[in-house]
Amino acid sequence: MGASASKPTETKVFTPKTNIELGPGLVGQLEQSIETDYARSQYTEKAFEAEVSKKLDRIAKEASEKFDQTIKDSLLTKDSEKDKTISSQLLDGKLTKLQQDLEKRESKFVKVPEEVTKTKSEIVECLIKNKERPLNCWDEVKKFEKLVNQIN
């Protein structure tokens, strides 16, 4: 039991329809080859890695060039596109203009008084203390609403 196969194995022999003759030189060369399947697979893997590395380097270089070009294009104004140079005066002018725009926008925002921020944190603390009874924080919420309505 187990010492012999339960079914006899069949050996199939395929005979080619065309005559295949290997020269003695080729047969001798194949027999003397010290290259194994493992060595061939290692060689193939190294070649594949080298190709992938080349491709990745090329893609990285193209991306870097594209990024640099995008940065250059974004810094240039339509007036300076004729000479394609970036001057410190031009950049300083752009920065000054951006700073002025930011200052204009900041003046449109409503400044929240410190008392409102303090009341908000009191509500948060109360809600944390009364996790299962949030209605216990009703007084703090009313105070917060009153302060917010005073701002508007």
Side-chain angles (χ1 to χ4, degrees):
M1 201 173 192
S4 63
S6 60
K7 292 184 181 179
T9 58
E10 294 181 30
T11 304
K12 293 186 179 183
V13 177
F14 296 99
T15 55
K17 293 181 181 178
T18 59
N19 188 10
I20 298 175
E21 290 185 29
L22 300 175
L26 178 61
V27 173
Q29 185 179 2
L30 290 174
E31 287 177 352
Q32 292 176 358
S33 175
I34 58 172
E35 191 176 70
T36 62
D37 289 339
Y38 178 75
R40 281 190 289 274
S41 69
Q42 290 293 321
Y43 175 74
T44 305
E45 188 175 326
K46 284 183 182 179
F48 182 72
E49 286 177 3
E51 287 298 315
V52 169
S53 178
K54 284 181 192 176
K55 218 169 223 186
L56 285 174
D57 289 342
R58 189 182 81 236
I59 290 170
K61 184 179 177 185
E62 289 173 359
S64 176
E65 290 172 355
K66 186 176 180 180
F67 179 75
D68 290 343
Q69 186 62 40
T70 304
I71 293 294
K72 285 180 184 178
D73 290 345
S74 68
L75 291 175
L76 295 174
T77 61
K78 292 181 180 178
D79 298 334
S80 66
E81 283 182 0
K82 296 171 189 167
D83 58 359
K84 295 283 184 190
T85 58
I86 301 173
S87 68
S88 59
Q89 293 174 345
L90 178 66
L91 292 176
D92 188 41
K94 280 187 167 191
L95 289 173
T96 305
K97 183 180 176 193
L98 286 173
Q99 190 174 15
Q100 290 171 353
D101 289 344
L102 283 174
E103 288 172 359
K104 287 178 186 177
R105 290 181 185 194
E106 282 181 3
S107 65
K108 293 180 182 178
F109 292 117
V110 176
K111 298 194 180 191
V112 179
E114 189 175 322
E115 190 176 354
V116 173
T117 309
K118 182 180 174 188
T119 307
K120 178 184 171 188
S121 63
E122 288 174 3
I123 291 173
V124 171
E125 288 174 19
C126 181
L127 289 171
I128 291 172
K129 287 179 186 175
N130 300 300
K131 286 184 181 178
E132 295 181 15
R133 296 180 300 253
L135 292 178
N136 289 349
C137 302
W138 187 249
D139 293 333
E140 288 84 357
V141 173
K142 280 295 189 187
K143 182 179 176 184
F144 180 76
E145 282 182 4
K146 181 180 174 186
L147 290 172
V148 170
N149 287 333
Q150 288 177 355
I151 293 174
N152 295 332

